[in-house]
Amino acid sequence: LIKSIIPADSLNQIFGDPGSMKSFLAIDMTACIATGSSFYGMKTKQAPVIFIAGEGFNGLKMRFMAWSIKNQISLDDAPIYLSSVPVSIGNPESIEAALSVIDQITILNGTPALIVIDTVARNFGNGDENSTKDMNAFINGCDTIRAKYNCAVLLVHHSGHADKNRGRGAMALLAALDTAYKAYKDENDILRFECTKMKDGQKSKLAFTVHTVELGITDEEDEPLSSVALNRTEYEAPPKKGKQGRGKNQSLAITILNDLYQQHREHLESGGYDPDNAKVKESDWIDACYDTGIEQSSFRKLKQALILQEKINIENGYVFLGKK
């Protein structure tokens, strides 16, 4: 579908931490395929695209508007179909319901060549991402979609807790992928898009700068609205990192805490509650740290050091990210 990036009839993944612009990359690919535009110099095969977001429907539309303005290509008649509700991919009944809707689109507008699932967490259902059984059910759901339409499926996923070079959860997902891409921002705020798995072909590495795009519309208070779009820039080797201000285990513990916090926000949002009320139990954080191999004997000193550095604070059995 995108030369050297997304093969036809395949299972693909873009993963990264919150704020890594992974969804923007998926939107860029969607718009390029739907309009037959090149993806930063790489040819695409024009076809309909289904985008299953499950959240942030209005924000998603604004991101597509920004792409249209930046590239000066209208999306008014582009065959892009956005879902405003999630699909429990691991649930056969939920898959069947989704396929019936996609079938209607196919009859009217042609078979989709790409189906984007953003994010895996939002569309996973009630299972546990770390369970091989539940992850296999999710993979089977993806394969059901892919096989029916002979299409590519693109998963947008969060990075793992301890291993930032793969997506979160059971290893069964990594094994099932045809391609995997890591998205992250370096210390110069350059967005890096790097292939970590490619079954057939060479691994691509791209770099982008991020730019604000004024949308030409206002909100309810008459304030101008904007979004962002990507511009490709020359890829250079990432700058070497010097010594960090904290040890490896301290950095890992902070990363785990941030990931747990983001998961709690997602759970609250999916249940219709205010995500700003998300908080992490200290016991859950400690257990997650132990699970990654941090020794119990060293954890007490690690925790005290983070408190003294104001990296975290602990109140009433909950742990919060402090000043950075």
Side-chain angles (χ1 to χ4, degrees):
L1 294 181
I2 302 178
K3 185 175 177 62
S4 303
I5 302 290
I6 302 293
D9 189 13
S10 61
L11 181 60
N12 312 272
Q13 180 188 87
I14 301 174
F15 65 92
D17 286 336
S20 63
M21 309 296 292
K22 53 188 179 291
S23 290
F24 285 89
L25 286 161
I27 287 168
D28 218 321
M29 292 179 179
T30 294
C32 288
I33 291 172
T35 59
S37 307
S38 69
F39 179 73
Y40 301 99
M42 286 159 279
K43 292 183 179 180
T44 64
K45 178 182 178 182
Q46 195 277 332
V49 180
I50 309 291
F51 200 109
I52 303 174
E55 66 171 346
F57 188 66
N58 289 331
L60 187 63
K61 290 191 291 185
M62 290 171 60
R63 293 176 182 183
F64 276 107
M65 286 179 63
W67 184 93
S68 178
I69 293 170
K70 179 255 182 183
N71 291 281
Q72 298 184 332
I73 299 174
S74 173
L75 295 176
D76 291 345
D77 299 318
I80 299 173
Y81 303 93
L82 308 180
S83 170
S84 59
V85 295
V87 176
S88 180
I89 302 296
N91 185 326
E93 292 182 359
S94 182
I95 285 288
E96 196 64 32
L99 293 180
S100 67
V101 176
I102 298 173
D103 284 344
Q104 297 176 43
I105 294 172
T106 298
I107 292 170
L108 296 174
N109 299 290
T111 304
L114 177 67
I115 296 181
V116 179
I117 299 173
D118 183 7
T119 60
V120 170
R122 281 294 183 188
N123 294 280
F124 198 81
N126 295 323
D128 180 359
E129 291 179 17
N130 294 306
S131 163
T132 299
K133 179 181 177 181
D134 292 344
M135 183 60 79
N136 280 330
F138 177 84
I139 294 167
N140 289 338
C142 292
D143 284 342
T144 297
I145 296 172
R146 181 187 56 77
K148 179 161 187 178
Y149 304 108
N150 293 318
C151 67
V153 175
L154 175 61
L155 308 175
V156 181
H157 195 22
H158 299 293
S159 298
H161 290 304
D163 187 354
K164 294 299 179 180
N165 289 314
R166 71 175 184 90
R168 194 171 68 191
M171 288 292 291
L173 180 56
L174 177 60
L177 296 172
D178 292 290
T179 74
Y181 293 91
K182 178 181 179 180
Y184 68 99
K185 285 186 178 179
D186 67 19
E187 61 188 36
N188 296 319
D189 217 28
I190 298 295
L191 170 61
R192 295 180 178 274
F193 176 69
E194 300 175 348
C195 183
T196 60
K197 180 179 181 180
M198 173 68 74
K199 278 191 175 181
D200 299 299
Q202 295 183 339
K203 294 181 178 180
S204 301
K205 293 182 179 181
L206 304 176
F208 303 90
T209 54
V210 181
H211 298 272
T212 300
V213 176
E214 299 297 333
L215 301 180
I217 57 176
T218 58
D219 61 15
E220 295 177 351
E221 298 179 349
D222 207 32
E223 293 291 330
L225 293 174
S226 64
S227 186
V228 302
L230 308 177
N231 281 334
R232 186 176 178 181
T233 188
E234 183 179 356
Y235 183 92
E236 297 178 352
K240 293 184 179 180
K241 295 182 179 180
K243 292 185 177 180
Q244 300 298 308
R246 54 180 183 262
K248 177 182 177 181
N249 283 344
Q250 291 183 29
S251 297
L252 177 57
I254 290 292
T255 298
I256 292 170
L257 177 58
N258 185 61
D259 286 349
L260 289 172
Y261 174 71
Q262 294 299 330
Q263 289 180 43
H264 281 224
R265 285 184 62 87
E266 291 170 4
H267 288 151
L268 287 174
E269 284 183 329
S270 64
Y273 299 101
D274 186 355
D276 290 337
N277 291 327
K279 52 186 178 181
V280 178
K281 289 183 179 179
E282 182 183 3
S283 58
D284 290 342
W285 176 56
I286 292 172
D287 289 343
C289 287
Y290 289 166
D291 287 344
T292 62
I294 296 178
E295 297 286 343
Q296 295 186 30
S297 59
S298 63
F299 184 81
R300 185 177 179 180
K301 290 183 179 180
L302 177 156
K303 181 176 73 172
Q304 192 62 33
L306 291 176
I307 293 172
L308 291 173
Q309 296 170 29
E310 295 187 312
K311 304 299 182 184
I312 64 169
N313 61 84
I314 297 175
E315 297 177 1
N316 302 319
Y318 293 93
V319 58
F320 303 89
L321 288 169
K323 295 180 181 179
K324 293 185 177 180

